[in-house]
Structure formats: structure tokens, C-alpha cells
Amino acid sequence: MSDSTRPWLREGTVHGERRYQRLLVIGLAAILLLSLVPVVGTHVLGLADRPLSGSDHFGVVCLIALHELLAPVHQLLHVLVIVGGGWALWDLAQRAWQTRRVLQGLPVRRLSAAEATVAAEAGLHAAAVRVVHGLPMPAFTAGHGLRPRVYVADALLHGAEALSAEELTAVLAHEAAHVRRRDPLRFLLLRSLARALFWVPAVRAVSEDIADEAEVIADDAASAVAGPIAVASALVKLGAWPSPAAPVAVVGFLRHDLLDRRVRRLLGEAYQPQGRLRTRAVVVAVLMLTVSTLSGIVDVHDLPAAAGHPASHQHCEHDGVFAAAHLFCRWQVEGPLLPVGASDCPHRQG
């Protein structure tokens, strides 16, 4: 049994992909929340009104010592967010300008009446399609606005490498799905997000995995129009084409790294997605996001004024002693890091 809207897929493949796609979205949302809220939420949006002001402890943890330890980390987080945001904006502007410049230089023509009929069957308006002579890639969708266009190699329509009518419809229907979803803009924003959060490398892996799933979704949309066999046949036939590195941010039909998965699932084989996210990237992300979140929590904690709290943060400022020595001072921890007389620390009373 399989999804009634995609009968060529096995039930395990459908459920596995749905679960995987859901996890990607949840993971990206969690990273955004934990990485940006400590800075943007507290300082820009004012989401927190310093609820820990005047408090000295949270359970056994000394908030004063924790503040002194993580305050420099929070300042560094400010720098990372500003640098990442600047890099993302610069990259966004550069890519948009480069895309416009390259697309304007392509030798394009509009569809003929017969070709426009095929495009209409694929769900594309003729005005949204351009045929490019000598295009080194089969087809792609580009344009970062709300109305992206589809660019198709002239070789797919005429000559020895021309596709059959069903295969051409499949290719155009695949690109039509990218147009409806505005995937060029979506992918550009994902790339910008990876730039902005460069200090969390897992964002790039998750963004690329989301882009992979967009290709699979477009294949399913094309299969509903032309049939899965036509889509798989077009992929196999075009698999011999080179896959040059696109100089601009475009969504291309041919991706050699996804070819095996796309063809196998279209032919009804059981196949589970293999993401780019590795254990090391997850561990690094968890550590970075934990520290950044803690630094944001500490930032909404005001150090008590010494005059109003005579037993406030003096115990964290003993000469030659790190604040870490007082992080768990209520546990009566003794050790070489604690100064002489630390046992009399007011925070250790009660």
C-alpha cells in the first residue's frame, strides 16, 4: 500500500520521507529560536524584562558567578550575529545581482506555438519559459522575485538529444513545481540563513537537505502530470549531461548527487533519505546553542548593586580566583580554587 496521491511510492518510503521532512523543518526552527532569541529577542524585541533581577541563586547555581562567566560569551554572540547578518546581506545582494546579470546575457527565445502547448500541459504559461541555445544544463528555474522563470536548453527540444513529448512534459512539470513554490527565492533565503548563522555549521547541512527534499517534491508533482516513468526516463537520459557549477543561484533539474535516489523512488523501490547532517555537526550545534541560550538567560540577570546587597558579588571577586570557583557555592565545595575564607561566603549561608 502507498499514498493514494502517489501510488508509485511504497508506504514505507512515503512515511519515512514525511517524517524526515518534518524533522528538518522542526530542526531548522529550533536552531533559529535558540541562536537568535538570546540576542534579537532580548535586545531588539524586548521579549524579556530581566525576570532574574536581584536574584543571587537559581537552585544551587550562583547567578552572579554564572553572569561573570558568560557575559563575555554573550558579547561575542553579539559580534557573531552582526558579522553573520552582514555577510548574509552582502551575499544576498551579490547573488541577486549576479543572477540578473547572467540571465540577461543568455541567448534566449520564446516558445513556439507547439512548444507552448507542451508547456501548458505541464502547468507552465508560455511567457514564463525561455529556450536557451547552447545551455550547458538541461533546465533550471531562476529569479528571486515572486515570478521566477524556467530556462530550457534548446537541445531538449530539437536535435539528437531531444526528449520525447512525455519526457519534455515531465521536465517542464518539474520546473513548474519549482515556480509555484518559488523555490529559487526559498533556496536563496536558506543560503542567506546559513551565512548568517555560520557559527552553527549544522544550519548549512539542514538547508541543503531541505533543498534536496524540494527536488523530490517537484518530482512527485511532475509524476502526477506525466507519470513517474516519464520523469525517471528523463532523469536517466539527462544523467549523461555535465553538471557544471552554476555561477548563479538557480534551481536545476539535474542533480547528479540525487540522481540515484530520485530514479529509484520513482520506480517504486524502497528508499530512505540520507541527510548531510553528521553526529559531529549535531554535537557542535548542541554545544553552541546551549552556550548561546545560557548567555542570553544570564544577560537578563542584573548583578545586584553592592550598596543594596552587601553580600552580593564580592565573593566572586576574590583576587586571583575565578568566578567558576563560586558557581556552586551552596554545595559547600572546597578546593584549591577557593580562596582563604571562602567558607564564610554569605551565599553559602542557608
Side-chain angles (χ1 to χ4, degrees):
M1 297 295 292
S2 63
D3 191 330
S4 60
T5 62
R6 294 175 290 177
W8 60 90
L9 295 179
R10 293 193 178 187
E11 185 176 10
T13 300
V14 173
H15 292 334
E17 288 180 343
R18 283 178 176 173
R19 182 171 59 251
Y20 179 68
Q21 291 165 4
R22 193 178 300 117
L23 286 175
L24 286 177
V25 174
I26 294 174
L28 186 62
I31 292 175
L32 278 174
L33 181 67
L34 295 176
S35 59
L36 294 181
V37 165
V39 172
V40 178
T42 56
H43 299 301
V44 178
L45 302 180
L47 299 180
D49 190 22
R50 300 194 178 277
L52 301 177
S53 296
S55 301
D56 293 338
H57 283 84
F58 184 79
V60 299
V61 178
C62 175
L63 291 176
I64 300 170
L66 190 63
H67 189 134
E68 294 189 354
L69 288 170
L70 292 182
V73 175
H74 191 69
Q75 295 303 316
L76 176 61
L77 184 61
H78 285 210
V79 175
L80 292 176
V81 170
I82 292 173
V83 171
W87 186 17
L89 290 175
W90 179 84
D91 183 71
L92 183 66
Q94 183 189 47
R95 304 285 289 192
W97 174 82
Q98 189 183 39
T99 300
R100 182 180 180 85
R101 180 176 63 85
V102 172
L103 293 181
Q104 287 179 339
L106 291 177
V108 302
R109 67 170 177 83
R110 293 182 179 272
L111 296 176
S112 65
E115 294 165 348
T117 301
V118 177
E121 294 176 355
L124 277 173
H125 193 279
V129 184
R130 296 291 184 271
V131 180
V132 186
H133 178 70
L135 189 67
M137 51 200 311
F140 65 84
T141 302
H144 301 139
L146 299 180
R147 295 181 179 178
R149 287 179 175 172
V150 175
Y151 295 79
V152 183
D154 185 72
L156 300 189
L157 307 174
H158 307 285
E161 296 179 312
L163 299 177
S164 67
E166 293 79 9
E167 292 167 343
L168 181 58
T169 301
V171 172
L172 293 178
H174 177 99
E175 298 305 318
H178 286 313
V179 171
R180 289 192 300 271
R181 290 166 48 85
R182 298 183 177 87
D183 279 336
L185 178 61
R186 187 195 305 263
F187 291 179
L188 186 65
L189 293 178
L190 283 173
R191 175 188 172 91
S192 298
L193 181 61
R195 291 284 187 266
L197 298 178
F198 69 95
W199 45 280
V200 187
V203 176
R204 179 177 178 179
V206 173
S207 298
E208 292 176 348
D209 286 342
I210 291 176
D212 290 350
E213 296 310 300
E215 294 297 333
V216 169
I217 292 172
D219 279 346
D220 289 345
S223 298
V225 175
I229 300 301
V231 181
S233 177
L235 284 168
V236 172
K237 186 176 290 187
L238 298 175
W241 278 52
S243 183
V248 292
V250 301
V251 184
F253 175 78
L254 183 61
R255 287 269 308 277
H256 285 100
D257 57 328
L258 279 179
L259 190 61
D260 180 69
R261 175 189 174 189
R262 291 169 67 183
V263 171
R264 288 175 59 183
R265 69 185 298 280
L266 287 169
L267 296 179
E269 293 187 25
Y271 197 89
Q272 295 299 321
Q274 302 294 325
R276 293 177 173 81
L277 200 58
R278 298 294 179 261
T279 303
R280 179 187 298 180
V282 173
V283 171
V284 171
V286 169
L287 290 176
M288 294 293 293
L289 295 176
T290 300
V291 172
S292 67
T293 303
L294 283 177
S295 73
I297 294 174
V298 169
D299 185 69
V300 298
H301 166 255
D302 276 334
L303 287 175
H309 295 71
S312 61
H313 61 300
Q314 292 93 337
H315 75 295
C316 293
E317 296 180 344
H318 296 292
D319 290 339
V321 177
F322 293 110
H326 299 271
L327 192 56
F328 303 104
C329 59
R330 279 191 170 179
W331 277 357
Q332 304 292 321
V333 177
E334 298 286 355
L337 292 178
L338 291 177
V340 177
S343 58
D344 298 327
C345 169
H347 280 274
R348 299 179 65 175
Q349 311 301 321

